[in-house]
Amino acid sequence: MTSNQAAAPLATPLAKPATSWVTTGIFIAVLFALPYLLPVVLPELEGIITLKANFMIFQFTLVIIYAIAILGLNIVTGYSGQISLGHGAFYAIGAYTAAVLMDKLDVPYWATVPVSGALCMVVGFLFGLPALRLTGHYLALATFALALAVPQLLKYKHIEWLTGGVQGIVILKPDAPFGIKFMNADQWLYYFCLFVACIMFWLAMNLIRGRFGRAMIAIRDHPIAAEAMGVNNAMVKSMAFGISAAYTGVAGALGAIAIAFVAPDSFTVFLSISFLVGLVIGGLASISGAIFGAIFIQFVPNIADSISKAAPWAIYGMFLIAAVYVMPTGAAGLVRRLRG
């Protein structure tokens, strides 16, 4: 085997972001036009149009938020090779950070987003240090324990004055700045979340294509060879966990602002599992796959519920099995094959 042949496995994942950028750009263009197209494409009465369009805008806002969270999970799992079942905990930390800052300290909503991301990055980095001794399913169980513990800690009676306990925290949806006229607050929050998502996806694109991204991929594929070449495996893994948590914390802050309410029962283990499902459906080690995965976890449960009120999760499981069977490499992998 020649040296060029030996380097081929590492070169392939690095070529994906260029292809993913085109798909992501198309999705962003469609998402920008969506709020103005919805009232036109819904041929209903005027009063019903507004209600349905608003609800659809809110749903696509959640798609954008979940895409950021899944992208963060993809950094640590798809590119770094570390399995995590606890990203719902970082989502909760980001959401509560934004809610507490807005409710207790009157911090502007836009300022809570970077603060939530920074706090989750620190927490994720500190959690990643002891987790370095764990790999595979042992690391998955450790992160699973984190997802179990955080909602219970939010209910702890000695910090109810801060978190609101089981009642949670209610916040107000912000209006558009500078007197800009929108249909309602949901439409403005849609554009705000989309703007933040564009920044986060652009940062992730540059991160993966840069030196740090190559180090993560090298550790994922050949950890011993990467360390022999001078890569600090421990530091790269911890930083990958921290960056991944920061992305999920940003998504949590946006989710709190969009929903205008946080409560411990909103961040159960099922949320972490949903992020993992979105990651698998979208495709591992794919930037644009996060968007496909977010669409799946947002809309497929609703479709399953409309098909069968008695057993919606059975229908959801059938959709999930069919998607994995048809797209073994995820939706992004299917798009790449069709374009090829």
Side-chain angles (χ1 to χ4, degrees):
M1 180 182 293
T2 65
S3 59
N4 291 335
Q5 291 174 327
L10 293 181
T12 303
L14 296 178
K16 292 180 181 179
T19 306
S20 301
W21 176 249
V22 177
T23 307
T24 305
I26 295 173
F27 266 102
I28 290 174
V30 173
L31 290 174
F32 264 113
L34 194 63
Y36 295 104
L37 292 177
L38 283 177
V40 177
V41 299
L42 294 175
E44 303 289 344
L45 297 176
E46 183 175 355
I48 301 178
I49 287 178
T50 304
L51 292 175
K52 288 191 174 181
N54 290 349
F55 181 66
M56 290 287 290
I57 291 172
F58 175 73
Q59 284 190 308
F60 277 99
T61 302
L62 293 181
V63 168
I64 295 170
I65 293 170
Y66 291 154
I68 298 175
I70 294 172
L71 178 60
L73 181 59
N74 210 349
I75 290 175
V76 75
T77 299
Y79 290 101
S80 181
Q82 304 178 81
I83 302 175
S84 174
L85 290 175
H87 267 56
F90 299 122
Y91 189 92
I93 294 173
Y96 264 88
T97 300
V100 169
L101 289 176
M102 293 176 64
D103 182 60
K104 306 295 183 182
L105 302 177
D106 291 328
V107 177
Y109 68 95
W110 53 266
T112 65
V113 176
V115 174
S116 299
L119 178 61
C120 287
M121 184 173 186
V122 173
V123 174
F125 180 80
L126 294 178
F127 181 82
L129 288 176
L132 289 174
R133 297 180 177 272
L134 305 174
T135 57
H137 53 280
Y138 295 105
L139 177 60
L141 287 176
T143 56
F144 182 75
L146 179 66
L148 286 174
V150 168
Q152 300 304 315
L153 292 175
L154 294 173
K155 300 177 183 178
Y156 191 50
K157 62 180 181 179
H158 293 295
I159 59 172
E160 283 186 356
W161 60 273
L162 184 65
T163 64
V166 295
Q167 302 297 325
I169 302 175
V170 178
I171 55 179
L172 297 176
K173 289 188 177 182
D175 295 322
F178 311 118
I180 301 175
K181 299 297 182 181
F182 282 97
M183 186 168 58
N184 52 32
D186 287 329
Q187 193 177 35
W188 160 244
L189 288 176
Y190 173 92
Y191 279 116
F192 176 70
C193 292
L194 184 59
F195 173 74
V196 175
C198 290
I199 295 176
M200 302 304 287
F201 272 75
W202 178 77
L203 291 175
M205 192 79 66
N206 286 276
L207 175 73
I208 299 304
R209 300 179 70 177
R211 182 175 180 179
F212 185 81
R214 292 194 295 269
M216 286 195 301
I217 294 172
I219 292 174
R220 179 198 66 190
D221 294 339
H222 305 288
I224 298 177
E227 192 162 7
M229 293 298 293
V231 177
N232 189 338
N233 287 12
M235 182 56 65
V236 171
K237 284 186 176 182
S238 297
M239 283 300 300
F241 219 102
I243 294 172
S244 175
Y247 268 73
T248 311
V250 168
L254 294 175
I257 297 170
I259 299 175
F261 175 71
V262 293
D265 292 335
S266 302
F267 310 105
T268 61
V269 175
F270 183 75
L271 179 62
S272 299
I273 297 175
S274 295
F275 290 156
L276 186 62
V277 168
L279 174 63
V280 174
I281 294 298
L284 291 170
S286 169
I287 299 294
S288 62
I291 302 174
F292 295 107
I295 293 173
F296 184 90
I297 65 175
Q298 174 60 31
F299 290 108
V300 171
N302 296 334
I303 296 173
D305 185 69
S306 64
I307 294 175
S308 173
K309 297 290 184 182
W313 292 113
I315 304 298
Y316 179 80
M318 294 173 60
F319 274 113
L320 183 58
I321 293 172
V324 173
Y325 181 78
V326 174
M327 304 178 296
T329 57
L334 177 63
V335 170
R336 283 195 294 270
R337 290 206 308 271
L338 293 176
R339 294 171 70 179

